[in-house]
Amino acid sequence: MLLFLGLLLLAATAAFTGLAISDNLGGGPHYTVSVLGNDIATMSTLAIFCAGLALALIFSLSLWMATGGALRRRTRRIRMRDERDALAARLSERDAAAGSQVSATTGQAGPVAPTLPASEPAGPSASQRHRGRRIHIFGH
């Protein structure tokens, strides 16, 4: 949600700035700011500079929101994947233990899957598994 709001605010700020610049190329000491043919205000050079600062701050806020939303989505996806993998490992251990108990009680010599002690991890750690998943910039 933050990603969407940040990108929306980013696009709105960029569009407003582009329209304000393209519609106001001429002028004197006082400029009439117009967007899409509508006069918004008459501003001095200092007021235009301050408005530019405000637009830059809004632009930076929108970039921060978009980046934060993307980062939050990524960390949540990684956390959910880790929880899903841990649950799958616990279920497979439980099924393996249930299968060995059934074969022991019936007296049949069925294949028994070796189980790992609880102190050893069942697979690669989370840092090893996510080592190859870096942000990819297209063309590089």
Side-chain angles (χ1 to χ4, degrees):
M1 186 67 177
L2 266 173
L3 177 64
F4 175 72
L5 288 176
L7 290 176
L8 183 67
L9 191 58
L10 179 75
T13 305
F16 179 78
T17 305
L19 286 172
I21 289 172
S22 66
D23 285 347
N24 299 296
L25 292 177
H30 288 330
Y31 298 95
T32 303
V33 179
S34 64
V35 176
L36 298 174
N38 297 320
D39 292 339
I40 295 176
T42 301
M43 302 173 81
S44 66
T45 307
L46 180 60
I48 292 175
F49 177 74
C50 290
L53 287 176
L55 285 174
L57 287 173
I58 292 171
F59 185 81
S60 299
L61 174 70
S62 65
L63 278 177
W64 175 75
M65 287 173 64
T67 304
L71 187 63
R72 180 180 168 144
R73 175 184 279 172
R74 182 174 185 264
T75 56
R76 184 171 185 258
R77 186 178 62 234
I78 289 171
R79 188 187 72 216
M80 293 300 287
R81 185 181 303 131
D82 290 343
E83 289 176 5
R84 189 172 45 242
D85 291 346
L87 178 64
R90 283 195 312 262
L91 289 176
S92 66
E93 287 176 5
R94 186 186 71 183
D95 292 343
S100 65
Q101 288 176 354
V102 168
S103 64
T105 57
T106 59
Q108 298 174 358
V112 177
T115 58
L116 296 174
S119 63
E120 295 181 18
S125 68
S127 63
Q128 292 172 343
R129 188 171 56 243
H130 297 299
R131 188 170 290 155
R133 297 180 185 150
R134 300 278 187 220
I135 296 175
H136 177 73
I137 300 174
F138 296 104
H140 292 104

